[in-house]
Amino acid sequence: MKTEAGEKAFDCVKWTRRTRDRISAEIRDMSQDELVRWFEDRRPKDPFLAELFDRREAPTGDRAVAPVAGGRGATLPS
């Protein structure tokens, strides 16, 4: 969205690049153990985001029994 002056109210690409560069500089010289602690210290407090954060890889097997967002154990319709 642009304002009257033609400037974007929020530039997602600029924000993403600036954030990525800041994080990269912060973790550049960390060991594996330090990186694990760094991520754990920033674990989301929201239960839904925490569940997404905890997933190590995509579910495998039959999609009909794959866990759904929110972790309620529901299955997808066939």
Side-chain angles (χ1 to χ4, degrees):
M1 172 183 256
K2 293 189 178 188
T3 62
E4 290 181 26
E7 294 291 321
K8 291 182 179 180
F10 178 73
D11 187 338
C12 182
V13 172
K14 187 182 217 179
W15 177 85
T16 300
R17 289 178 178 163
R18 188 173 52 239
T19 302
R20 180 196 58 207
D21 292 345
R22 179 183 54 81
I23 291 171
S24 293
E26 188 174 339
I27 67 174
R28 179 177 296 131
D29 298 322
M30 290 186 184
S31 68
Q32 183 68 29
D33 290 336
E34 290 171 322
L35 280 172
V36 169
R37 280 194 306 276
W38 187 87
F39 279 111
E40 288 297 325
D41 289 345
R42 285 152 184 81
R43 178 175 299 281
K45 303 297 184 234
D46 179 273
F48 176 74
L49 293 176
E51 178 184 341
L52 293 175
F53 193 88
D54 287 339
R55 293 183 185 178
R56 301 288 183 222
E57 58 189 50
T60 58
D62 186 358
R63 288 185 51 86
V65 294
V68 295
R72 297 179 202 5
T75 59
L76 300 173
S78 299

